[in-house]
Amino acid sequence: MNKERLLNNFMEMLKIHSPSRKEGKYAEYLINLLKEMGASIYLDEGYLQYGGDSPSIIAKFPGDIEGEGVTLAAHMDVIEPNLNVQPVVEGNIIKTDGSTTLGGDDKGGVASIIEALRTIKEEKISHKDIYVVLTPCEEVGMLGAKYFNWDKVPEGMRPSKNMIVVDNAGAAGLIAHSAPSKYDIEVVFQGKKAHAGIEPEKGINAIAVASNALSRMNIGRIDDLTTSNISSISSQFPSNVVPDICKVAGEIRSHSEEKILDIIEYYKKACDEAVEKLGGTYKFDYQRDYPVLKPKDDLKFAKEFAKIYEELNIPSELKVIGGGSDSNIFAEQGFNSIIIGVGMNNVHTVEEYLVIDDLFKTTEAIIRYIKRNEK
């Protein structure tokens, strides 16, 4: 690979502002770049359903060898504040001046994919079909992946099911293969208003009911693969009014959706008991934000990529992670995903930085995997 070109391309991408729902300019840049590299392009218009301005991109580089190829994936949006990024190269890291996020999440992943493809083309490496999938709005609920209409994708543009998602935090060598499902929950407690100073006994304090219910719930780390969090409690009333409404919101994550549903039933029971004791009513709503990510091949794909890292003298580690990504959505759509990183650290903060050597290492690993996969 051309390390100087890779870094220059990464720096160029950092200058293109691409927050969630406003990735259009960056998408246009990438579409033109991929076309110049010889790719066939398909654009999915799922963004029309959620108010974005950028399509999801499928690029195909036809191979000269038959057989199942590979898909390389990343996302185009970045976490704000990210306008007018001022990158600073300091030894082996690239960071910002501290006023913005860097955007290495996930422009580092995109830059790595682009350089790997350029190298394969320039070295005239024989390969099976290579697909690239680039999504918008990953950072705000994986909307690009969720609203992707796969039924409309032409037969010849449907990506390989083995997918390498270049979007893992941490050093090169870390390979995530499993991630939890997440359910969002909201409980609205209904009490009864009364004057808090004159006749409070005639009221039912919705905050007190909510507090009683929460005290009965197991929140935080539930087991090795299950967590729960209450993130907001909302009830705004004057101090002289017994509040009759209190909204509680949070999430539950687990590698077992059955476990999540069991916890939801347990939480409902806690609400029942609180209402029975203090009065009032409640409404409990929940919905799945994203499904579980699990390997579909008993870790065969993940272990193959780990072997590539090891051949490059890069220590590898197969990981179960606690966060969600496009990979969770793609898994339900039939893809067998692994998530690898390019040295992104302190992501989603203005202290974000990227380790240059890790960017090089993972790019070389992708190139070597494609060479190996095509034999």
Side-chain angles (χ1 to χ4, degrees):
M1 66 179 152
N2 185 324
K3 294 180 178 179
E4 182 178 1
R5 179 176 62 192
L6 171 53
L7 286 179
N8 287 340
N9 187 217
F10 176 57
M11 293 292 198
E12 185 176 20
M13 290 180 184
L14 293 181
K15 296 176 184 177
I16 305 173
H17 190 219
S18 60
S20 303
R21 290 189 172 86
K22 296 181 180 180
E23 307 93 338
K25 185 177 178 182
Y26 185 38
E28 183 179 358
Y29 166 88
L30 292 171
I31 291 165
N32 291 333
L33 180 58
L34 290 163
K35 284 182 177 178
E36 289 172 6
M37 294 168 62
S40 300
I41 301 292
Y42 174 79
L43 303 178
D44 177 82
E45 296 183 338
Y47 69 97
L48 297 175
Q49 299 182 60
Y50 58 81
D53 72 353
S54 168
S56 290
I57 302 167
I58 296 178
K60 179 181 180 181
F61 293 84
D64 54 1
I65 300 175
E66 292 185 2
E68 181 78 5
V70 68
T71 298
L72 307 174
H75 66 84
M76 296 182 285
D77 57 324
V78 294
I79 290 289
E80 294 277 45
N82 191 252
L83 182 62
N84 298 322
V85 176
Q86 300 297 320
V88 177
V89 180
E90 192 173 272
N92 190 37
I93 70 170
I94 301 173
K95 61 179 186 177
T96 74
D97 61 2
S99 63
T100 68
T101 60
L102 179 65
D105 177 12
D106 192 21
K107 289 177 179 174
V110 177
S112 177
I113 290 170
I114 295 297
E115 181 57 34
L117 292 167
R118 280 173 162 164
T119 302
I120 289 161
K121 183 175 181 180
E122 289 173 354
E123 294 186 5
K124 298 180 179 178
I125 298 169
S126 291
H127 60 84
K128 300 171 188 172
D129 292 342
I130 302 171
Y131 296 86
V132 179
V133 174
L134 302 173
T135 59
C137 286
E138 190 269 354
E139 300 287 10
V140 289
M142 292 85 83
L143 298 181
K146 284 179 180 176
Y147 285 90
F148 210 118
N149 190 340
W150 292 102
D151 292 338
K152 290 187 177 182
V153 179
E155 184 67 31
M157 291 296 292
R158 293 180 183 175
S160 166
K161 293 303 183 183
N162 274 350
M163 174 181 280
I164 301 170
V165 180
V166 194
D167 186 29
N168 200 6
L174 299 178
I175 302 170
H177 57 80
S178 298
S181 173
K182 179 170 85 75
Y183 278 58
D184 295 321
I185 61 173
E186 181 183 81
V187 191
V188 179
F189 292 91
Q190 178 75 57
K192 183 180 179 182
K193 284 183 181 178
H195 193 293
I198 299 175
E199 46 187 9
E201 58 278 340
K202 291 187 177 180
I204 298 174
N205 191 309
I207 297 176
V209 180
S211 299
N212 188 281
L214 290 172
S215 71
R216 301 170 187 270
M217 297 179 183
N218 187 3
I219 298 168
R221 171 68 63 184
I222 294 175
D223 60 37
D224 288 346
L225 299 177
T226 307
T227 61
S228 171
N229 184 50
I230 298 300
S231 57
S232 70
I233 300 175
S234 176
S235 185
Q236 299 292 326
F237 287 85
S239 63
N240 63 348
V241 176
V242 174
D244 67 338
I245 294 288
C246 182
K247 295 181 181 180
V248 176
E251 66 164 47
I252 306 169
R253 302 186 188 212
S254 181
H255 290 255
S256 164
E257 293 202 20
E258 183 179 355
K259 182 66 175 285
I260 292 175
L261 295 175
D262 285 345
I263 292 170
I264 287 172
E265 290 305 311
Y266 170 71
Y267 284 1
K268 288 180 179 178
K269 183 179 178 181
C271 295
D272 287 336
E273 292 172 352
V275 166
E276 183 178 354
K277 180 177 180 179
L278 299 176
T281 60
Y282 72 92
K283 180 181 179 183
F284 198 117
D285 290 320
Y286 64 93
Q287 66 177 13
R288 189 180 70 174
D289 190 17
Y290 50 80
V292 168
L293 168 65
K294 290 183 179 180
K296 301 180 184 299
D297 59 356
D298 196 29
L299 292 176
K300 180 177 181 290
F301 184 30
K303 289 177 180 177
E304 285 177 356
F305 206 89
K307 190 177 294 184
I308 298 295
Y309 275 130
E310 296 292 345
E311 290 174 359
L312 294 169
N313 295 316
I314 302 167
S316 66
E317 180 184 355
L318 302 184
K319 292 196 67 176
V320 174
I321 58 176
S325 71
D326 281 347
S327 301
N328 292 68
I329 309 301
F330 291 139
E332 192 168 56
Q333 296 161 351
F335 290 92
N336 185 39
S337 300
I338 58 172
I339 315 168
I340 63 173
V342 290
M344 300 179 284
N345 291 273
N346 294 345
V347 297
H348 298 189
T349 75
V350 296
E351 287 80 35
E352 180 187 0
Y353 66 93
L354 182 138
V355 178
I356 296 172
D357 280 349
D358 285 324
L359 177 61
F360 294 158
K361 289 173 181 177
T362 285
T363 305
E364 181 60 34
I366 293 172
I367 296 167
R368 182 170 291 210
Y369 175 81
I370 291 172
K371 288 182 179 179
R372 180 67 50 82
N373 187 47
E374 310 316 337
K375 292 182 179 180

